Amino acid sequence: MVEVLPIKVLTDSDTAIFGSLNMALAKLLRADLPVASGIVVTAPNLKLKTVLEHHDFGSNEVFEQSLTMVKKEINYTPAPEMLTKEVGQHQSFLVNGQQVKGVKKLWLALLNEWLEEIKTRLWREGFYKGITEGLDPKVVIFVKKMESYGSGFFDDIQDDTVINVREGKIHPHDLKKLDEMIRQANKKLFIPHEYEWMVDLPAGRQGGGVKLTKVMPYTPVVSSQTYTPKVSDHSYLGGRNAMTPRVLSSAVKVFLDLSTGLVVEREVDGVYIAAERVFDLNKPRDSFEDLLFRLVESATTFSDLRILFKLADKSEGMGKVRGTLRLLHQKSLFEPMVDALDFIRHKKGLTNVHIVIPFVRGVNELLQIKRELAVKKLGRKNSLQLWMEVAVPENIINLEDYLIAGVDGIVLNLDELVSFLNGFDSSEGELIAYKNEVNGLLKFLEDGLKLLHKSKVPFIVCGSLSLYPQVLEYLVEKGVYGVVVERFEVSSAHDLLRQAEKRMILRKMQ
């Protein structure tokens, strides 16, 4: 059963149901701190449990398909009457940094949040009884006209408040007020926390100004390492994530895919941005600004890490003009990529951004786009690496020719490779079962990976196949340099990699 209560009525007796952090938010409201109006919603545990039990999660081969089917079934669940009643006349909401409109979309957003939490549990521990129990209650904030949104905390090392603006801009007056609010909130709660906030309306309007929207745990990381804080005053990638040293748990690097989403994970070894998931030819100006913002902020925040920028691979289906060939013949696609790189490297001086050349069908294409980039002063050099995406079998067959042509690294797109090898279109849902037939793919990669190892050229992998246990163990054994993962997969990826490395070591010791 779903429980819904307004933040303002939560009391200590509700802690067991609605969580201690949400109780802390209600406590701040009662202490006369500016807290946004909203509600707290618990997960529909029984419904989720019933749906999950009808699907098979015991086999890794059907894991992804089962979860997709669960998501479709869950999305047909109507919004509870209690939620509709508590929402009242409000039509715009903020849920975990995502702004949605309408009760139906709000309910879907909440369900997706809980499903992502369940997915993380499935990756870590597999399916077990009680997997839907103890899911985090979600804070839903009522929004009128949000001007800016972000988070903040008090950093003892700097003896100052760190404010991270994820969306919009914040007035200096509100910055000062937010600093005072965070300090007061820590005093009221007795221990330091991190806080999300928003400016819903200008301060002069009724109900306007900066308000707290969420309380989160804050654990300072103490380390003897020397590091330099990199904080942006207008960044969804700044704040604590940019300041705390990373704690690596595996030899294989984890690259965070920041092509979508506004949340960053701290324990990563690099960033991967696929331009085709950001740049939209139908909205060139807005999407270009979004792309530029992601690149600049990731390169600034993670100044000591490699940022791999994949040029846009606009695909219209199997056998269509796409990838490098399309970049070479469509200026409206190629020029924005060059402009973004020119701004980042030559004007901002961010030399940790490197290029990934997408979907190459032949060595001639690689040489031609390298010439085009060199003309734009983006040629391969010590401070600018050129990586190549390997997405078609021809690339593996003629891999030696590509290495002779000159690349600094390889990105294996496993989903594309298995699609071409097994002869199916990955966009066709009814053929998705062929994606799990990976034995042929692993045999096909064998000689190519040996050549990369011999040539001392690093390779990383992307695609959903990369975290399949059979594939992951194979890659670890072959010396994969890194894997590209989504935000919600970062923590589980470290665990899976560490386990795969242990198994490999034990096998060699036997």
Side-chain angles (χ1 to χ4, degrees):
M1 181 179 176
V2 177
E3 298 283 349
V4 185
L5 276 182
I7 297 171
K8 63 183 179 181
V9 304
L10 291 177
T11 62
D12 292 339
S13 61
D14 299 312
T15 302
I17 299 175
F18 293 95
S20 58
L21 293 175
N22 296 327
M23 286 303 309
L25 187 63
K27 183 177 180 179
L28 295 178
L29 178 60
R30 289 193 292 272
D32 294 328
L33 267 74
V35 174
S37 178
I39 57 177
V40 182
V41 187
T42 62
N45 294 338
L46 183 59
K47 176 63 179 178
L48 292 170
K49 178 184 177 182
T50 304
V51 173
L52 287 172
E53 286 177 347
H54 291 161
H55 297 273
D56 179 18
F57 291 98
S59 172
N60 291 316
E61 285 74 13
V62 298
F63 176 89
E64 186 177 347
Q65 292 88 326
S66 296
L67 204 59
T68 302
M69 294 173 67
V70 167
K71 188 173 182 179
K72 288 182 179 178
E73 188 171 343
I74 287 294
N75 285 345
Y76 286 113
T77 307
E81 292 183 8
M82 186 177 294
L83 177 65
T84 305
K85 179 181 178 181
E86 291 294 344
V87 163
Q89 300 296 318
H90 297 280
Q91 289 296 318
S92 187
F93 313 97
L94 184 67
V95 181
N96 197 24
Q98 178 186 3
Q99 190 171 352
V100 294
K101 292 188 177 181
V103 178
K104 184 177 180 180
K105 289 185 178 180
L106 167 63
W107 180 237
L108 291 178
L110 289 170
L111 290 172
N112 285 331
E113 288 290 327
W114 287 313
L115 281 176
E116 291 300 335
E117 193 174 343
I118 292 173
K119 183 175 181 179
T120 301
R121 294 181 179 185
L122 283 167
W123 273 118
R124 289 179 176 175
E125 306 172 46
F127 186 80
Y128 60 90
K129 188 177 180 180
I131 193 171
T132 62
E133 296 176 4
L135 296 173
D136 293 336
K138 302 299 178 183
V139 178
V140 177
I141 299 299
F142 302 146
V143 176
K144 294 179 181 177
K145 186 179 180 182
M146 188 170 70
E147 295 196 336
S148 58
Y149 161 78
S151 61
F153 63 96
F154 185 82
D155 181 55
D156 291 324
I157 297 175
Q158 292 190 110
D159 193 28
D160 199 2
T161 303
V162 177
I163 296 174
N164 171 30
V165 183
R166 298 180 182 177
E167 184 177 330
K169 295 181 180 180
I170 184 168
H171 193 275
H173 174 76
D174 287 330
L175 278 173
K176 184 178 179 181
K177 185 177 180 181
L178 186 57
D179 173 51
E180 296 173 355
M181 288 166 56
I182 290 174
R183 293 171 187 264
Q184 290 178 19
N186 280 343
K187 291 179 181 179
K188 297 293 183 183
L189 299 179
F190 300 109
I191 57 175
H193 286 78
E194 187 171 357
Y195 306 90
E196 287 188 356
W197 54 267
M198 73 170 182
V199 178
D200 194 20
L201 290 169
R205 296 183 60 178
Q206 185 177 2
V210 62
K211 295 184 178 182
L212 301 179
T213 61
K214 191 175 182 180
V215 178
M216 300 177 292
Y218 168 60
T219 305
V221 177
V222 180
S223 173
S224 59
Q225 292 177 309
T226 301
Y227 58 95
T228 304
K230 295 287 183 181
V231 181
S232 169
D233 63 347
H234 181 237
S235 167
Y236 60 88
L237 299 172
R240 175 161 57 99
N241 299 308
M243 297 172 54
T244 52
R246 290 165 286 114
V247 181
L248 305 183
S249 57
S250 62
V252 180
K253 309 295 184 185
V254 174
F255 285 77
L256 175 63
D257 191 338
L258 274 178
S259 308
T260 59
L262 297 176
V263 182
V264 70
E265 292 289 340
R266 177 172 55 87
E267 295 181 5
V268 296
D269 310 287
V271 174
Y272 187 85
I273 298 176
E276 68 272 8
R277 299 177 65 186
V278 185
F279 184 71
D280 187 349
L281 287 167
N282 296 318
K283 300 177 181 178
R285 183 173 180 179
D286 292 341
S287 60
F288 177 77
E289 290 179 357
D290 185 16
L291 177 64
L292 204 60
F293 180 72
R294 291 175 186 274
L295 284 168
V296 171
E297 291 298 327
S298 58
T300 303
T301 304
F302 298 109
S303 59
D304 59 331
L305 301 182
R306 181 185 282 115
I307 313 298
L308 293 178
F309 173 47
K310 177 188 167 187
L311 305 182
D313 174 19
K314 290 293 184 181
S315 173
E316 297 174 356
M318 249 184 171
K320 301 292 185 180
V321 176
R322 58 177 291 193
T324 296
L325 183 63
R326 186 166 181 175
L327 286 168
L328 290 170
H329 291 86
Q330 186 173 353
K331 288 186 177 180
S332 62
L333 187 60
F334 182 64
E335 292 297 335
M337 304 296 107
V338 171
D339 292 342
L341 286 165
D342 178 65
F343 178 81
I344 291 162
R345 293 187 59 87
H346 301 149
K347 295 181 181 179
K348 300 292 288 186
L350 300 172
T351 56
N352 58 329
V353 177
H354 305 282
I355 301 172
V356 178
I357 299 172
F359 201 84
V360 181
R361 285 191 173 104
V363 177
N364 288 335
E365 283 187 7
L366 174 64
L367 293 172
Q368 191 172 350
I369 197 162
K370 285 181 67 176
R371 284 194 292 269
E372 293 292 332
L373 289 170
V375 169
K376 304 292 186 179
K377 297 181 181 180
L378 294 169
R380 183 187 178 206
K381 51 190 173 183
N382 291 335
S383 63
L384 177 58
Q385 296 180 348
L386 292 183
W387 289 54
M388 187 186 87
E389 181 188 36
V390 168
V392 296
E394 184 274 344
N395 300 155
I396 297 294
I397 295 170
N398 295 319
L399 186 57
E400 186 172 4
D401 295 334
Y402 286 103
L403 297 182
I404 292 172
V407 293
D408 296 290
I410 295 295
V411 179
L412 291 177
N413 191 323
L414 298 183
D415 289 352
E416 292 274 15
L417 282 169
V418 77
S419 175
F420 285 104
L421 278 172
N422 291 356
F424 72 96
D425 189 342
S426 58
S427 64
E428 299 293 334
E430 62 270 18
L431 301 176
I432 198 68
Y434 289 106
K435 186 177 180 180
N436 300 306
E437 303 295 332
V438 298
N439 290 332
L441 171 65
L442 302 185
K443 290 178 182 178
F444 181 73
L445 292 175
E446 188 82 23
D447 291 338
L449 299 186
K450 286 181 180 178
L451 177 59
L452 290 174
H453 182 70
K454 182 179 178 181
S455 305
K456 297 182 180 179
V457 175
F459 72 96
I460 66 173
V461 294
C462 65
S464 58
L465 279 181
S466 60
L467 292 182
Y468 280 27
Q470 180 185 355
V471 177
L472 191 61
E473 287 194 23
Y474 173 88
L475 294 169
V476 169
E477 190 171 347
K478 298 301 178 184
V480 64
Y481 179 76
V483 294
V484 179
V485 299
E486 301 283 351
R487 174 187 62 82
F488 56 84
E489 296 172 329
V490 169
S491 58
S492 57
H494 278 297
D495 292 337
L496 291 170
L497 286 167
R498 188 172 62 253
Q499 293 168 13
E501 289 167 356
K502 285 181 179 178
R503 287 192 291 269
M504 182 189 70
I505 293 170
L506 289 172
R507 281 198 303 269
K508 291 186 176 182
M509 292 176 64
Q510 292 177 351

